[in-house]
Amino acid sequence: MSLDAYISLGQSGLRVSPFCLGTMTFGEDWGWGSSPDDSEAILTEYLERGGNFIDTANIYTNGHSEKIIGDYLSARAGLRDRIVLATKFFGNLDIGNPNGGGAGRKAIVKQCEESLRRLQTDYIDLYWLHNWDRGAPIEETLRAMDDLVTSGKVRYLGVSDLPAWKAAQAQTIAHFRGYAPAIALQVEYSLLARTVEGELIPMARELGLGVMPWGPLRGGKLSGKYTRANAGSQKSDRTGSSASLLANEYAILDVVNEVATEIGANTAAVALAWVHSRPGVASTLIGARRLDQLKASLDVIDVSLSSQQIARLDAVSRPVLNFPADNNRDLAPNLAFAGAMVDGIRTNAVPMLAGTTKRY
């Protein structure tokens, strides 16, 4: 799969690359990111390979990430309209100001204006609600977001890191009130973080939201950097502290490495291929602090896994999900179809029904 094998994002006419460039690393303001020059090199590499989807947020490196992207685009005439530029609101960059962040109308409008200024553009292609503001009525948030679309400052909307019930509520209200709906959902998703399969991903598929996984390498744990042999000796690029995996995480990594050996790829390639193959996934976020890291990720995005390999990875990383997710997934089809094959899935008659013929 190449970056220019574009897809339609969710139920929309917005066409994006199957892998989106995440830019939380742009800027050294948090002590571990990329310099402006390195960030521009990363942008150039991604775009020259055919990528068109760039994701940032107002709070990334205190706004510096947006500023770096804005400087890059302003220096290249005609490039802005060829890319899909996404940013997020919610994070407060005005310490002590209760209306500086969150999802109230005053905050949303202000944050949008500030992002437009830093990005040096007059519109945002995809504007994300970054989190759930418990104190702001969702109707107020949705109407303010819709107004931004109507005004032309924003083209499409998305939601990120919301509980499934809140995202479903928001999407339902938007449809019934005629507001611009969300087209995508951004969530953490990887072989080491699969609990979104319980509620969030089924909700997204039902309501027309393209799923965009962030953290597909689980903060580097699936990059190949961490092994049983070097447990506790590796340091996180972000925190500088020593880190190692849990016992169950090493068990997952063992299977990842087995599959990587079978297909002649590396650990990260298998992890990316697995998450990108998941039902509902649209465009997967990849990020890098250094150019060589990005190149390594882009070099392996065409790796594919067999159904048997995916099944092994699924089995070893199978998550414990909140009720009633497992019940609905495992028991309900058997209760409903009692051994019949439906939609390509073979079901079994549950024990209390198996072998019975008497009906009342």
Side-chain angles (χ1 to χ4, degrees), residues 263-347:
I263 64 176
N266 58 32
T267 303
V270 173
L272 285 173
W274 179 87
V275 76
H276 195 67
S277 73
R278 303 305 292 169
V281 168
S283 182
T284 301
L285 281 150
I286 55 173
R289 187 172 58 86
R290 303 187 313 268
L291 180 59
D292 64 291
Q293 292 174 332
L294 178 71
K295 287 182 176 180
S297 293
L298 297 182
D299 284 345
V300 300
I301 61 174
D302 59 349
V303 167
S304 60
L305 306 176
S306 69
S307 58
Q308 292 82 7
Q309 290 166 335
I310 290 175
R312 285 159 55 197
L313 292 166
D314 288 351
V316 74
S317 64
R318 185 184 175 103
V320 175
L321 301 174
N322 291 338
F323 178 86
D326 285 335
N327 184 291
N328 289 338
R329 178 180 62 188
D330 300 330
L331 177 60
N334 295 331
L335 283 172
F337 306 123
M341 178 176 285
V342 179
D343 295 331
I345 299 174
R346 170 67 68 184
T347 63

Side-chain angles (χ1 to χ4, degrees), residues 74-300:
S74 67
R76 293 161 176 80
L79 178 58
R80 171 66 189 93
D81 287 337
R82 292 188 59 83
I83 68 166
V84 175
L85 182 57
T87 192
K88 309 177 191 72
F89 70 89
F90 190 85
N92 196 332
L93 295 174
D94 189 4
I95 303 301
N97 177 6
N99 293 304
R105 175 179 286 274
K106 179 178 175 66
I108 293 172
V109 174
K110 177 64 172 177
Q111 289 173 90
C112 183
E113 296 290 350
E114 289 296 312
S115 286
L116 290 170
R117 177 182 60 81
R118 285 188 291 265
L119 291 167
Q120 301 173 55
T121 184
D122 57 3
Y123 70 98
I124 295 163
D125 291 299
L126 178 57
Y127 203 36
W128 299 95
L129 168 60
H130 206 165
N131 216 303
W132 173 31
D133 185 344
R134 294 171 180 266
I138 192 63
E139 294 86 353
E140 177 182 339
T141 301
L142 292 171
R143 181 56 191 272
M145 294 172 72
D146 182 69
D147 285 347
L148 292 175
V149 174
T150 302
S151 71
K153 294 178 180 179
V154 169
R155 300 293 192 258
Y156 296 90
L157 302 172
V159 291
S160 173
D161 299 346
L162 268 65
W165 69 268
K166 178 55 67 172
Q169 179 193 42
Q171 192 74 332
T172 301
I173 290 173
H175 279 298
F176 274 102
R177 295 198 176 184
Y179 300 159
I183 64 169
L185 171 74
Q186 203 171 127
V187 291
E188 182 182 17
Y189 194 20
S190 73
L191 276 163
L192 299 182
R194 292 183 56 185
T195 55
V196 292
E197 294 176 9
E199 298 286 346
L200 283 157
I201 290 180
M203 178 275 299
R205 299 182 71 190
E206 184 73 15
L207 298 181
L209 300 166
V211 176
M212 287 185 57
W214 61 262
L217 300 183
R218 188 62 163 164
K221 286 186 175 182
L222 291 165
S223 66
K225 176 179 180 179
Y226 299 95
T227 66
R228 291 182 184 273
N230 65 24
S233 64
Q234 292 295 306
K235 292 186 176 181
S236 167
D237 289 340
R238 297 183 184 180
T239 66
S241 59
S242 297
S244 59
L245 280 63
L246 301 175
N248 68 304
E249 293 177 324
Y250 279 120
I252 294 170
L253 191 60
D254 288 342
V255 179
V256 173
N257 287 330
E258 290 172 6
V259 172
T261 299
E262 291 169 6
I263 64 176
N266 58 32
T267 303
V270 173
L272 285 173
W274 179 87
V275 76
H276 195 67
S277 73
R278 303 305 292 169
V281 168
S283 182
T284 301
L285 281 150
I286 55 173
R289 187 172 58 86
R290 303 187 313 268
L291 180 59
D292 64 291
Q293 292 174 332
L294 178 71
K295 287 182 176 180
S297 293
L298 297 182
D299 284 345
V300 300

Side-chain angles (χ1 to χ4, degrees), residues 54-77:
I54 299 170
D55 183 79
T56 185
N58 69 327
I59 202 171
Y60 289 171
T61 52
N62 307 329
H64 197 188
S65 174
E66 288 186 328
K67 179 65 164 54
I68 290 171
I69 295 169
D71 289 343
Y72 183 89
L73 294 176
S74 67
R76 293 161 176 80

